[in-house]
Amino acid sequence: MTEGRHPVTLGKMRQAIARRMAESKRSAPHFYVERDLEMDAALDALEELNRGRPREERASVTALLVKALASALQEHPAFNAVWNGEVLEQVDAINIGVAIDLEDGGLIAPALLGCEALDVDGIGTALRDLVARTRGGKLRAAEIAEGTFTLTNLGMFGVTGFTAIITPPQVATLATGATEPRAVVRNGEVVVQRIMTATLSCDHRAVDGAASARLLATLAERLAAAPEWVGGARVAAG
């Protein structure tokens, strides 16, 4: 052994992560599309939804993103799919995996099943339950195996932007960073808006760049229209 180096015994979860991520990068030709999302309307609507609630009952930004993303995926079903051997399969149910870090350094992205049928409050409740059961080792088999898309949000750690590896056999993953005030030009004037950078990782076997840009555009539209649906109203596609 080289002096100053020490072997690290990897746990079973870390080994599984290593195998799956290496498999994903080997088999799926990744490409990335990035877009800045205007979050003022969405965050204002979320703040109104959470007004007067104790912290443990508030819907999170992640819950808001999951709902907006589920709505966008209804309009762009090519991204709600899995690559099964040589066959691409689109899935009717929208089961969005959410990346959750564990105390032992592991990472898992269990799925919130049937996101299209839940409002922001329902997703917030389901997400809190999913996080608790993930960290307690009580996940259901379907939550591990039936994800159709993954969201990984590092905004709570101050990360402004990053790219994520696709979770096989899914064909896309969305990575989001922190929302921060930025100076932007609107109608010839400089204004301050709250912006979040989102990066879509895609499997080029299944989808192309223009389709990915359209998915992000629809997501941006959903977030801009947040006051119309945050607060219990179901988000409709289209």
Side-chain angles (χ1 to χ4, degrees):
M1 183 187 306
T2 304
E3 185 177 354
R5 300 186 183 183
H6 311 280
V8 176
T9 301
L10 299 179
K12 291 183 178 180
M13 178 169 290
R14 192 76 251 168
Q15 293 178 32
I17 292 171
R19 287 193 299 270
R20 284 173 62 79
M21 295 301 97
E23 172 196 348
S24 179
K25 290 294 282 187
R26 282 196 303 267
S27 63
H30 284 56
F31 72 94
Y32 309 96
V33 180
E34 181 178 289
R35 178 172 178 138
D36 288 340
L37 304 173
E38 297 176 5
M39 295 294 292
D40 283 332
L43 294 180
D44 287 346
L46 185 64
E47 182 180 355
E48 183 62 29
L49 175 66
N50 287 329
R51 191 180 304 278
R53 296 181 177 183
R55 181 175 297 275
E56 64 274 11
E57 295 179 7
R58 296 175 187 171
S60 65
V61 172
T62 298
L64 178 78
L65 290 171
V66 168
K67 183 64 243 189
L69 183 56
S71 176
L73 288 171
Q74 287 180 289
E75 189 169 324
H76 302 275
F79 292 86
N80 194 62
V82 294
W83 191 273
N84 188 1
E86 295 300 318
V87 179
L88 178 65
E89 298 177 343
Q90 290 187 11
V91 184
D92 292 334
I94 297 176
N95 305 328
I96 296 179
V98 179
I100 299 170
D101 66 308
L102 305 176
E103 292 182 356
D104 63 359
L107 179 72
I108 190 170
L112 286 165
L113 304 177
C115 293
E116 74 282 1
L118 299 174
D119 60 20
V120 176
D121 249 345
I123 288 175
T125 300
L127 184 56
R128 290 190 294 272
D129 173 67
L130 187 69
V131 171
R133 288 189 294 104
T134 298
R135 292 175 175 163
K138 298 180 180 179
L139 287 174
R140 304 181 185 101
E143 292 167 334
I144 299 172
E146 297 183 13
T148 57
F149 191 99
T150 295
L151 169 68
T152 176
N153 178 20
L154 289 179
M156 66 286 292
F157 298 108
V159 172
T160 55
F162 67 107
T163 57
I165 299 174
I166 299 167
T167 303
Q170 298 165 26
V171 301
T173 292
L174 186 70
T176 55
T179 301
E180 58 181 2
R182 300 184 197 172
V184 298
V185 177
R186 291 289 180 267
N187 299 319
E189 296 184 353
V190 177
V191 298
V192 175
Q193 290 187 315
R194 288 174 287 180
I195 303 294
M196 170 186 284
T197 298
T199 305
L200 186 64
S201 303
C202 305
D203 184 340
H204 221 324
R205 296 174 300 178
V207 293
D208 298 316
S212 304
R214 286 191 286 268
L215 172 62
L216 287 179
T218 300
L219 178 61
E221 291 170 4
R222 295 293 188 271
L223 291 167
E228 299 176 11
W229 52 266
V230 175
R234 182 174 171 179
V235 183

